[in-house]
Amino acid sequence: MRQYIDEASRVTSNKGTDMADLDVGDVAPQFDLPRDSGGSLSLASLLGRPVVLYFYPQDDTTGCTNEAIGFSQLKPEFEKLGAMVIGLSPDSVRKHDKFKSKYDLTVDLVADEERKVIEAYHLWVEKKLYGRRYMGVERATFLIGSDGRIARIWRNVRVKGHAEAVLEAVRAL
């Protein structure tokens, strides 16, 4: 089996201890979360089609907005391939609705306010900004195959060109 793991897919703590338990080929952790515009969205309901699950720190920040716009612009291409794109953050559904409306976003957004899914994917991590340490969501994307297994992982994502790279990976499935 060909493995597609970006070099940065292994996450370590500041002490060098490997923290990345999820790997290509693993069954993706399940979720059933509230979604924008009401209702809920579960990974189990999408079995049989590829899913792009991207995690981002916060609605309406520069990087997160650019990432959401990038995925929204390419949503028709993902749909032609049968793939669904889902953005996940700890923001509320209400914030997601405002975010989508403000930027005319078309991707589905789910709210993980309790961070249970974020933690299941090992993305609640220590961050450092201007010398200050704090806990936050690592920007990452998981491509989940139609069989429910992780097909590719991108960690510590740089937004520019990311949506395009994910689309190419979906095409390669």
Side-chain angles (χ1 to χ4, degrees):
M1 171 166 87
R2 272 194 306 180
Q3 300 239 342
Y4 294 99
I5 305 176
D6 292 341
E7 188 173 321
S9 69
R10 304 309 294 178
V11 179
T12 58
S13 71
N14 291 333
K15 296 180 182 173
T17 305
D18 190 1
M19 295 174 55
D21 293 337
L22 295 176
D23 209 344
V24 168
D26 291 346
V27 174
Q30 294 296 310
F31 63 84
D32 188 358
L33 292 170
R35 65 178 296 159
D36 58 90
S37 304
S40 66
L41 185 61
S42 72
L43 186 57
S45 70
L46 302 172
L47 196 61
R49 67 187 287 193
V51 174
V52 173
L53 180 62
Y54 76 94
F55 293 80
Y56 65 99
Q58 186 176 349
D59 290 343
D60 213 2
T61 58
T62 303
C64 298
T65 300
N66 289 336
E67 184 175 30
I69 289 170
F71 278 118
S72 288
Q73 289 173 339
L74 293 175
K75 185 178 177 183
E77 297 300 314
F78 283 104
E79 287 177 337
K80 285 179 190 172
L81 299 168
M84 181 164 188
V85 179
I86 303 167
L88 186 152
S89 83
D91 289 313
S92 68
V93 169
R94 186 170 174 230
K95 284 186 76 175
H96 284 339
D97 287 339
K98 288 180 182 179
F99 183 47
K100 283 187 76 164
S101 176
K102 183 175 180 178
Y103 296 101
D104 294 320
L105 303 176
T106 59
V107 293
D108 295 290
L109 301 177
V110 293
D112 186 17
E113 291 184 81
E114 295 177 5
R115 299 188 312 263
K116 289 181 180 179
V117 178
I118 293 165
E119 290 175 5
Y121 280 80
H122 305 281
L123 298 174
W124 186 248
V125 299
E126 184 178 81
K127 294 179 158 191
K128 187 175 178 181
L129 182 64
Y130 302 115
R132 185 178 74 96
R133 294 179 189 273
Y134 63 97
M135 296 301 290
V137 177
E138 176 188 336
R139 187 181 311 279
T141 301
F142 289 76
L143 173 55
I144 302 165
S146 58
D147 61 356
R149 295 188 176 276
I150 298 170
R152 185 147 181 199
I153 302 169
W154 291 263
R155 300 266 179 148
N156 297 307
V157 166
R158 302 263 184 235
V159 172
K160 186 175 183 182
H162 178 61
E164 292 83 357
V166 174
L167 179 61
E168 289 308 311
V170 172
R171 284 186 176 126
L173 283 180

Coordinates of all heavy atoms in Angstrom, one line a residue, residues 32-75:
D32 N -20.0 13.1 15.6 CA -21.4 13.5 15.3 C -21.5 14.8 15.9 O -21.7 14.9 17.2 CB -22.4 12.5 15.8 CG -23.8 12.8 15.3 OD1 -24.0 13.8 14.6 OD2 -24.8 12.1 15.7
L33 N -21.4 15.9 15.2 CA -21.3 17.3 15.7 C -22.3 18.2 15.1 O -22.8 18.0 14.0 CB -19.9 17.9 15.4 CG -18.7 17.2 16.1 CD1 -17.4 17.7 15.5 CD2 -18.8 17.4 17.6
P34 N -22.7 19.2 15.9 CA -23.6 20.3 15.4 C -22.9 21.0 14.2 O -21.7 21.2 14.2 CB -23.8 21.2 16.5 CG -23.0 20.7 17.7 CD -22.3 19.5 17.3
R35 N -23.7 21.3 13.2 CA -23.2 21.9 12.0 C -23.8 23.3 11.8 O -24.9 23.6 12.4 CB -23.5 21.0 10.8 CG -25.0 20.9 10.5 CD -25.3 20.1 9.3 NE -24.8 20.7 8.1 CZ -24.5 20.1 7.0 NH1 -24.7 18.8 6.9 NH2 -24.1 20.7 6.0
D36 N -23.2 24.0 10.9 CA -23.7 25.3 10.5 C -25.1 25.2 10.0 O -25.5 24.1 9.5 CB -22.8 26.0 9.5 CG -22.7 25.1 8.2 OD1 -23.5 25.3 7.3 OD2 -21.7 24.3 8.2
S37 N -25.9 26.2 10.2 CA -27.3 26.2 9.7 C -28.2 25.1 10.4 O -29.3 24.9 9.9 CB -27.4 26.0 8.2 OG -26.6 27.0 7.5
G38 N -27.8 24.5 11.5 CA -28.6 23.6 12.2 C -28.4 22.2 11.8 O -27.8 21.8 10.8
G39 N -28.9 21.3 12.7 CA -28.7 19.9 12.5 C -27.3 19.4 13.0 O -26.6 20.1 13.7
S40 N -27.0 18.2 12.5 CA -25.7 17.6 12.9 C -25.1 16.9 11.7 O -25.8 16.6 10.7 CB -25.8 16.7 14.1 OG -26.6 15.6 13.8
L41 N -23.8 16.6 11.8 CA -23.1 15.9 10.7 C -22.3 14.8 11.4 O -21.5 15.1 12.3 CB -22.3 16.9 9.9 CG -21.5 16.4 8.7 CD1 -22.5 15.9 7.7 CD2 -20.7 17.5 8.1
S42 N -22.4 13.6 10.9 CA -21.6 12.5 11.4 C -20.7 11.9 10.3 O -21.1 11.9 9.2 CB -22.5 11.4 12.0 OG -23.1 10.7 11.0
L43 N -19.5 11.5 10.7 CA -18.6 10.9 9.8 C -19.2 9.5 9.3 O -19.1 9.2 8.1 CB -17.3 10.6 10.4 CG -16.2 10.1 9.5 CD1 -15.9 11.1 8.3 CD2 -14.9 9.9 10.3
A44 N -19.9 8.8 10.2 CA -20.5 7.5 9.8 C -21.5 7.7 8.6 O -21.6 6.8 7.8 CB -21.2 6.9 11.0
S45 N -22.2 8.8 8.6 CA -23.2 9.0 7.5 C -22.5 9.2 6.2 O -23.2 9.2 5.2 CB -24.1 10.2 7.9 OG -23.3 11.4 7.8
L46 N -21.2 9.5 6.2 CA -20.5 9.7 4.9 C -19.7 8.5 4.4 O -19.0 8.7 3.4 CB -19.6 10.9 5.1 CG -20.3 12.2 5.5 CD1 -19.3 13.3 5.9 CD2 -21.3 12.7 4.5
L47 N -19.8 7.4 5.1 CA -19.1 6.2 4.7 C -19.5 5.9 3.3 O -20.6 6.0 2.9 CB -19.4 5.0 5.6 CG -18.5 3.8 5.5 CD1 -17.1 4.2 5.9 CD2 -19.0 2.7 6.4
G48 N -18.5 5.6 2.4 CA -18.7 5.3 1.0 C -18.3 6.4 0.1 O -18.3 6.3 -1.1
R49 N -17.9 7.5 0.7 CA -17.4 8.7 -0.1 C -16.2 9.3 0.6 O -16.1 9.2 1.8 CB -18.5 9.7 -0.4 CG -18.9 10.4 0.9 CD -20.1 11.3 0.6 NE -19.8 12.5 -0.2 CZ -20.5 13.6 -0.4 NH1 -21.8 13.6 0.2 NH2 -20.2 14.6 -1.1
P50 N -15.3 9.9 -0.1 CA -14.1 10.5 0.5 C -14.5 11.8 1.3 O -15.5 12.4 0.9 CB -13.2 10.9 -0.7 CG -13.8 10.3 -1.9 CD -15.2 9.9 -1.6
V51 N -13.8 12.0 2.4 CA -14.1 13.2 3.2 C -12.8 13.9 3.4 O -11.8 13.3 3.8 CB -14.7 12.8 4.6 CG1 -14.9 14.0 5.5 CG2 -16.0 12.1 4.4
V52 N -12.8 15.2 3.2 CA -11.7 16.1 3.6 C -12.1 16.8 4.9 O -13.1 17.5 4.9 CB -11.5 17.2 2.5 CG1 -10.4 18.2 2.9 CG2 -11.1 16.5 1.2
L53 N -11.4 16.4 5.9 CA -11.7 17.0 7.3 C -10.6 17.9 7.6 O -9.5 17.4 7.9 CB -11.9 15.9 8.3 CG -12.2 16.3 9.7 CD1 -13.6 17.1 9.8 CD2 -12.3 15.0 10.6
Y54 N -10.9 19.2 7.6 CA -9.8 20.1 8.0 C -10.1 20.8 9.3 O -11.2 21.2 9.6 CB -9.5 21.1 6.8 CG -10.4 22.3 6.6 CD1 -10.2 23.5 7.2 CD2 -11.6 22.1 5.8 CE1 -11.1 24.6 7.0 CE2 -12.4 23.2 5.6 CZ -12.2 24.4 6.2 OH -13.0 25.4 6.0
F55 N -9.1 20.9 10.1 CA -9.2 21.5 11.5 C -8.5 22.8 11.4 O -7.4 23.0 10.9 CB -8.4 20.6 12.5 CG -9.1 19.2 12.7 CD1 -8.9 18.2 11.8 CD2 -9.9 19.0 13.8 CE1 -9.5 17.0 12.1 CE2 -10.4 17.8 14.1 CZ -10.2 16.7 13.2
Y56 N -9.2 23.8 12.0 CA -8.6 25.1 12.0 C -8.9 25.8 13.4 O -9.9 25.4 14.1 CB -9.2 26.0 10.9 CG -10.7 26.3 10.9 CD1 -11.1 27.5 11.4 CD2 -11.6 25.3 10.5 CE1 -12.5 27.7 11.5 CE2 -12.9 25.6 10.5 CZ -13.4 26.8 11.0 OH -14.7 27.0 11.1
P57 N -8.1 26.7 13.8 CA -8.2 27.3 15.2 C -9.4 28.1 15.4 O -10.0 28.0 16.5 CB -6.9 28.1 15.3 CG -5.9 27.5 14.3 CD -6.8 27.1 13.2
Q58 N -9.7 29.0 14.5 CA -10.8 30.0 14.9 C -11.4 30.7 13.7 O -10.7 31.1 12.7 CB -10.1 31.1 15.8 CG -11.1 32.1 16.4 CD -10.4 33.0 17.3 OE1 -9.2 32.8 17.7 NE2 -11.1 34.1 17.7
D59 N -12.7 30.9 13.7 CA -13.4 31.6 12.6 C -12.9 33.0 12.6 O -12.6 33.6 13.6 CB -14.9 31.6 12.9 CG -15.6 30.2 12.7 OD1 -15.0 29.3 12.1 OD2 -16.7 30.1 13.2
D60 N -12.9 33.5 11.3 CA -12.7 35.0 11.1 C -11.3 35.5 11.4 O -11.2 36.6 11.8 CB -13.8 35.8 11.8 CG -14.2 37.1 11.0 OD1 -13.6 37.3 9.9 OD2 -15.0 37.9 11.5
T61 N -10.3 34.6 11.4 CA -9.0 35.1 11.5 C -8.4 34.9 10.1 O -8.9 34.2 9.2 CB -8.2 34.2 12.5 OG1 -8.2 32.9 12.1 CG2 -8.7 34.4 13.9
T62 N -7.3 35.6 9.8 CA -6.7 35.7 8.5 C -6.5 34.3 7.9 O -7.0 34.0 6.8 CB -5.4 36.5 8.4 OG1 -5.8 37.8 9.0 CG2 -4.9 36.7 7.0
G63 N -5.7 33.5 8.5 CA -5.3 32.2 8.0 C -6.5 31.3 7.8 O -6.7 30.6 6.8
C64 N -7.4 31.3 8.8 CA -8.6 30.4 8.8 C -9.5 30.9 7.7 O -10.2 30.0 7.0 CB -9.2 30.4 10.2 SG -8.2 29.7 11.5
T65 N -9.7 32.1 7.5 CA -10.6 32.7 6.5 C -10.0 32.3 5.1 O -10.8 31.8 4.2 CB -10.7 34.2 6.6 OG1 -11.3 34.5 7.9 CG2 -11.6 34.8 5.5
N66 N -8.7 32.5 4.9 CA -8.1 32.2 3.6 C -8.2 30.7 3.3 O -8.5 30.3 2.1 CB -6.7 32.6 3.5 CG -6.6 34.1 3.5 OD1 -7.5 34.8 3.0 ND2 -5.4 34.6 3.9
E67 N -8.1 29.8 4.3 CA -8.2 28.4 4.1 C -9.7 28.0 3.7 O -9.9 27.3 2.8 CB -7.8 27.7 5.4 CG -7.8 26.2 5.2 CD -7.3 25.5 6.5 OE1 -7.4 26.0 7.6 OE2 -6.7 24.4 6.3
A68 N -10.6 28.6 4.4 CA -12.0 28.3 4.2 C -12.4 28.8 2.8 O -13.2 28.2 2.0 CB -12.9 28.9 5.2
I69 N -11.9 30.0 2.4 CA -12.2 30.5 1.0 C -11.6 29.6 0.0 O -12.2 29.3 -1.0 CB -11.7 32.0 0.9 CG1 -12.6 32.9 1.7 CG2 -11.7 32.4 -0.6 CD1 -12.0 34.3 1.9
G70 N -10.4 29.1 0.2 CA -9.7 28.2 -0.7 C -10.5 26.9 -0.9 O -10.7 26.5 -2.1
F71 N -11.0 26.3 0.2 CA -11.8 25.1 0.0 C -13.1 25.4 -0.6 O -13.6 24.6 -1.4 CB -11.9 24.4 1.4 CG -10.8 23.6 1.8 CD1 -10.0 23.8 2.9 CD2 -10.4 22.5 1.0 CE1 -9.0 23.0 3.3 CE2 -9.3 21.6 1.4 CZ -8.6 21.9 2.5
S72 N -13.7 26.5 -0.3 CA -15.0 26.9 -0.9 C -14.9 27.1 -2.4 O -15.8 26.7 -3.1 CB -15.6 28.2 -0.2 OG -16.0 27.9 1.1
Q73 N -13.8 27.7 -2.8 CA -13.7 28.0 -4.3 C -13.5 26.7 -5.0 O -13.9 26.5 -6.2 CB -12.4 28.9 -4.5 CG -12.7 30.3 -4.1 CD -11.4 31.1 -4.2 OE1 -10.3 30.6 -4.2 NE2 -11.6 32.5 -4.2
L74 N -12.9 25.7 -4.4 CA -12.7 24.4 -5.0 C -13.8 23.3 -4.7 O -13.7 22.2 -5.2 CB -11.3 23.8 -4.6 CG -10.1 24.6 -5.1 CD1 -8.8 24.0 -4.6 CD2 -10.1 24.6 -6.7
K75 N -14.8 23.7 -4.0 CA -15.8 22.8 -3.6 C -16.5 22.1 -4.8 O -16.7 20.8 -4.7 CB -16.9 23.4 -2.7 CG -18.0 22.5 -2.2 CD -19.0 23.1 -1.3 CE -20.0 22.1 -0.9 NZ -21.1 22.7 -0.2

